[in-house]
Amino acid sequence: VSGYEHIDKEFWLGSSGAKGPCFKIPTSAAYIKVVMGAYIDYFRPIPGSTYCDMLTTFNKHQWSPDGRSWKTLDHFWTHQGGSAAWWPRDNVEGDNRKYPSFWGGGGPPEYQGGCCTGEVGLDPSSSDWGWGKSYKMYYSPAVADVDGSCQEMCGTA
């Protein structure tokens, strides 16, 4: 996904009768993997939700640092993905980020691409921190697959 695209509900669901990228994820997928620069985050829908529900809302996802151990995090109240401020730093040993990856802004057009950092150790006050990050998103088959052989959903290999 380009850092210059406006990623919102319409992007994921599609428009004008065409189905969007969220419909490419099999219902049996174990999780999605978001690669934003140096960071890899794993997400799956909360019980009772679909991948399309998860990708188009702010509070229907669980997060994992490895695709195996899952956490229900405090959610940011408007963007798609991510968490409440400083949730990773305060809840995951060794992860000093302000947020895990957001895959969409779901708001004004200035929220393009993903957020917030792809660079390890980048200070949130840096001008390189924020929206406009490119990322790749993959889905894993039902069998947990953290060895890098995930199926690509968006972007090119």
Side-chain angles (χ1 to χ4, degrees):
V1 175
S2 162
Y4 300 104
E5 292 182 75
H6 182 65
I7 310 300
D8 60 6
K9 187 174 185 173
E10 187 174 288
F11 171 87
W12 292 111
L13 294 177
S15 61
S16 303
K19 288 188 172 184
C22 74
F23 293 100
K24 293 180 180 180
I25 306 171
T27 57
S28 62
Y31 53 76
I32 62 167
K33 173 178 149 179
V34 177
V35 180
M36 190 176 297
Y39 286 102
I40 298 174
D41 292 303
Y42 299 86
F43 298 94
R44 70 179 184 188
I46 60 171
S49 294
T50 66
Y51 280 97
C52 286
D53 294 336
M54 180 187 85
L55 290 170
T56 59
T57 59
F58 71 94
N59 62 350
K60 294 189 176 180
H61 62 278
Q62 293 180 318
W63 174 86
S64 173
D66 57 14
R68 294 184 185 116
S69 57
W70 294 95
K71 300 177 184 295
T72 300
L73 33 69
D74 296 331
H75 296 97
F76 194 87
W77 59 276
T78 184
H79 305 315
Q80 298 144 350
S83 71
W86 300 113
W87 189 90
R89 181 197 65 191
D90 296 343
N91 293 280
V92 182
E93 187 175 337
D95 191 338
N96 292 317
R97 291 180 291 171
K98 187 172 183 179
Y99 304 104
S101 301
F102 287 98
W103 55 77
E110 60 266 22
Y111 295 126
Q112 296 179 335
C115 184
C116 287
T117 185
E119 194 176 319
V120 176
L122 189 64
D123 188 309
S125 64
S126 165
S127 62
D128 292 328
W129 192 90
W131 290 96
K133 304 295 181 275
S134 297
Y135 63 90
K136 290 193 177 203
M137 183 179 283
Y138 305 85
Y139 67 82
S140 175
V143 176
D145 167 24
V146 293
D147 65 0
S149 62
C150 294
Q151 301 298 309
E152 186 162 359
M153 185 182 84
C154 300
T156 58

